[in-house]
Amino acid sequence: MLDANIAGQLKGYLQNIKRPIELIAALDDSAKATEMRDLLQEIADMSADISFIDDADSDSRKPSFQIKQPDGQEKIRFAGIPMGHEFTSLVLALLHVGGHPTKLDQEVIDQIKGLEGEYHFETYISLSCQNCPEVVQALNVMAVHNPNISHTMIDGALYQEEVDQRKIMAVPTVYLNGENFGSGRMSLPEIIAKLDKGAVKREAEKISAKQDFDVLIVGGGPAGASASIYAARKGIRTGIVAERFGGQVMDTMAIENFISVKETEGPKLVAALEEHVKEYEVDVMNLQRAKGLKKNGKMIDVELESGATLSSKAVILATGARWRELGVPGEKEYRGHGVAYCPHCDGPLFKGKPVAVIGGGNSGVEAAIDLAGIVGHVTLLEFNGELRADAVLQKKLFSLDNVEVITGAQTTEITGDDGKVNGLVYIDRATEQKHTVQLNAVFVQIGLIPNTDWLKGTIELSKFGEIEIDNHGQTSLPGVFAAGDVTTIPYKQIIMAMGDGARAALGAFDYLIRNDFDDKSEAA
């Protein structure tokens, strides 16, 4: 099951196990069960502290396996073969159940241990989903620290019947005690906050009590991370407040144009960014959404939806952008039930089925190419009369025999039945004829929209809602700077956002040294 290189690395990791663990399998006579048995036996052979048990009488899902101590109460189960993106989840589960410490602050561990009641989590994933491992690993680590918490990872492609019964059309999808708990990327703090009702209030009180910042960055994507590093290196008090550290990059699969890095993935790049930021004295406040910005004398106040307020001498806005929606009937109604924005995450749920991609730019064409290798048929619809993607991508697209491209198509409705998508309606812009396409999913890839709704009426925005900035990143409000995809800079690229973040930080520092904040008059 494992190639020599991976097997060697895993054997090295398993040397960190401090106590015996058992791999208890529930197997049937399927080919996947045979693969699972081979994998578990191979792992057991790597360490004297690991034993493999074939529990033929188990009434658990088959094939699946549990990881636990011989006398332990850990309730971690994998209903599927955790390869691909989930291999790290398997390795961490082995280590943590085996006594290797988790990298959690004691405060977080105490929060997990303090959760009262029984929590049985089930997470439906796809092995190609880059958002799924974070959820799986978070729930696994909770099960390690609290015996009242259990977690089962379920490969949706392997348990298609369950997926159909529960009408799951997006991953990760989490069930708690048989009820839908949530879909999409969720971090450990987010999950705990949903279970511990007092967590949000306690965190808001803690944030409001913080000292004033010299520079406060709103947004934790590439621009925000870059700005924080450049600001912190100046020796000034720096903070980041972010709804989700990493931002839109967390949903990006292949990155092949980041100079000096031949190829990487969004989550890997974000992990590297976070590690770099932590090398400096940057106060990172994650899972916090800004809702207001106002001048308070020479200071600038940022109000958060949690109820907290932060104050800073200078503020850098780096809130990025989000997926642009079609805005047609059926889109919101069937989001997560056939309407999707992440082909890498949700594509495997539609294996062998017909789907559509809306958008003929690079993102849309890349999505169609990726999906063509999984689904039965892809219909790509582009509003304009021709595709806008790079020539190399178009060449690849048109070489695929299960892809149909329709240009000059205006999507007017997404239809559905029994709670899930069953087709879409579009108008041929040349003939004005209406057409219906029968399909099981619609992947929307029509660009981004800046996250500036909360800033309207506060600073000057372009007609597209982007923040207007000058050559130093300064906005129309003195002391407030902006960087990255949220601004008017053209060409929304990761590497450009990073440079923009550095520029805004240097601009903010220049603003600080040119203004006397002990003087009560307005800053220039």
Side-chain angles (χ1 to χ4, degrees):
M1 286 295 297
L2 303 175
D3 65 38
N5 184 43
I6 293 177
Q9 292 181 34
L10 178 57
K11 190 171 183 178
Y13 291 141
L14 295 179
Q15 292 178 5
N16 294 307
I17 290 177
K18 304 182 186 306
R19 58 196 180 203
I21 59 176
E22 295 176 341
L23 306 178
I24 305 174
L27 304 172
D28 52 21
D29 57 359
S30 67
K32 284 297 181 183
T34 300
E35 288 183 33
M36 184 177 289
R37 179 185 287 106
D38 292 345
L39 174 64
L40 298 179
Q41 188 62 64
E42 186 174 356
I43 293 172
D45 291 341
M46 292 180 181
S47 172
D49 290 320
I50 302 177
S51 58
F52 168 54
I53 300 171
D54 188 346
D55 185 5
D57 298 326
S58 174
D59 58 359
S60 298
R61 289 180 180 85
K62 296 180 180 179
S64 69
F65 66 94
Q66 183 182 9
I67 303 177
K68 66 184 291 294
Q69 297 175 53
D71 299 319
Q73 301 180 48
E74 299 88 1
K75 299 170 184 176
I76 297 174
R77 180 172 292 276
F78 290 87
I81 302 174
M83 302 300 286
H85 287 292
E86 291 299 343
F87 186 67
T88 301
S89 301
L90 170 62
V91 175
L92 290 175
L94 291 168
L95 293 175
H96 295 155
V97 174
H100 188 68
T102 58
K103 294 182 178 180
L104 299 181
D105 295 336
Q106 189 59 46
E107 182 181 357
V108 176
I109 294 174
D110 291 341
Q111 251 189 304
I112 295 171
K113 289 181 175 180
L115 293 172
E116 298 179 352
E118 296 286 333
Y119 302 92
H120 174 53
F121 287 99
E122 300 167 292
T123 304
Y124 290 86
I125 61 97
S126 70
L127 297 179
S128 61
C129 167
Q130 75 268 31
N131 290 330
C132 296
E134 182 175 5
V135 179
V136 172
Q137 291 162 25
L139 292 170
N140 281 349
V141 81
M142 290 176 68
V144 167
H145 287 296
N146 189 328
N148 296 321
I149 298 174
S150 67
H151 178 233
T152 300
M153 181 216 81
I154 305 164
D155 180 0
L158 188 58
Y159 288 88
Q160 191 66 52
E161 189 174 330
E162 280 189 42
V163 168
D164 293 339
Q165 287 176 348
R166 283 182 158 174
K167 300 177 182 177
I168 295 169
M169 293 190 169
V171 290
T173 291
V174 180
Y175 275 72
L176 171 58
N177 298 335
E179 300 293 331
N180 194 308
F181 180 74
S183 297
R185 178 183 291 276
M186 286 180 280
S187 66
L188 178 60
E190 286 177 291
I191 294 169
I192 294 174
K194 291 184 73 170
L195 301 174
D196 182 357
K197 301 304 181 184
V200 173
K201 183 179 179 181
R202 291 196 302 272
E203 186 65 17
E205 291 172 350
K206 188 164 69 172
I207 289 174
S208 291
K210 290 180 182 290
Q211 295 179 356
D212 293 347
F213 290 92
D214 292 316
V215 172
L216 178 66
I217 297 118
V218 183
S226 173
S228 73
I229 291 170
Y230 267 76
R233 284 174 61 86
K234 294 295 185 181
I236 57 180
R237 179 166 164 74
T238 305
I240 291 181
V241 57
E243 185 175 359
R244 180 179 67 156
F245 192 90
Q248 194 78 12
V249 178
M250 289 294 283
D251 301 324
T252 304
M253 189 63 174
I255 299 172
E256 299 175 344
N257 58 357
F258 189 76
I259 309 306
S260 82
V261 179
K262 185 177 179 181
E263 184 178 353
T264 187
E265 297 174 354
K268 290 182 180 179
L269 179 58
V270 169
L273 286 174
E274 189 170 14
E275 185 178 353
H276 196 174
V277 169
K278 288 180 177 178
E279 289 292 315
Y280 298 92
E281 293 185 9
V282 178
D283 189 346
V284 179
M285 294 156 278
N286 206 9
L287 306 181
Q288 299 295 325
R289 185 186 182 105
K291 75 168 186 178
L293 179 78
K294 64 179 181 180
K295 267 281 196 179
N296 184 7
K298 279 197 169 184
M299 303 299 286
I300 301 156
D301 288 347
V302 176
E303 300 173 350
L304 308 180
E305 285 192 352
S306 65
T309 299
L310 293 164
S311 190
S312 182
K313 296 174 183 175
V315 168
I316 298 174
L317 303 173
T319 48
R322 62 188 183 276
W323 294 116
R324 184 180 296 276
E325 298 177 353
L326 282 169
V328 301
E331 181 178 21
K332 291 184 177 180
E333 292 87 337
Y334 296 109
R335 180 176 294 161
H337 296 278
V339 174
Y341 301 85
C342 180
H344 309 294
C345 304
D346 301 331
L349 295 176
F350 303 96
K351 183 177 181 180
K353 299 177 180 179
V355 306
V357 173
I358 312 297
N362 283 347
S363 296
V365 172
E366 286 176 350
I369 292 170
D370 289 342
L371 289 166
I374 302 169
V375 304
H377 186 270
V378 180
T379 302
L380 186 147
L381 296 97
E382 162 60 28
F383 182 83
N384 293 315
E386 59 183 21
L387 299 182
R388 296 167 287 110
D390 295 341
V392 65
L393 293 175
Q394 292 194 43
K395 182 178 180 181
K396 174 64 176 176
L397 180 72
F398 287 113
S399 72
L400 302 172
D401 58 11
N402 65 335
V403 175
E404 178 186 6
V405 177
I406 303 173
T407 57
Q410 180 180 356
T411 303
T412 57
E413 183 182 2
I414 296 173
T415 61
D417 183 51
D418 195 25
K420 56 186 180 182
V421 167
N422 66 5
L424 65 75
V425 179
Y426 75 90
I427 294 175
D428 185 321
R429 298 178 62 218
T431 64
E432 297 187 353
Q433 286 186 320
K434 184 179 290 188
H435 300 270
T436 299
V437 182
Q438 300 299 316
L439 41 78
N440 294 102
V442 177
F443 291 86
V444 181
Q445 300 282 294
I446 56 172
L448 303 170
I449 186 168
N451 294 315
T452 55
D453 292 345
W454 64 290
L455 293 169
K456 290 178 180 177
T458 304
I459 57 176
E460 188 174 337
L461 305 176
S462 73
K463 64 180 180 179
F464 301 110
E466 299 168 320
I467 300 174
E468 298 274 7
I469 56 172
D470 65 14
N471 291 336
H472 298 276
Q474 171 76 56
T475 72
S476 59
L477 186 63
V480 178
F481 296 76
D485 288 1
V486 75
T487 72
T488 50
I489 63 160
Y491 314 121
K492 312 300 186 184
Q493 299 290 313
I494 294 171
I495 197 164
M496 297 188 74
M498 287 183 173
D500 215 35
R503 177 178 61 174
L506 295 175
F509 181 71
D510 186 61
Y511 168 82
L512 294 179
I513 62 178
R514 291 175 182 274
N515 284 277
D516 180 5
F517 285 86
D518 292 328
D519 184 355
K520 300 303 180 182
S521 61
E522 279 293 309

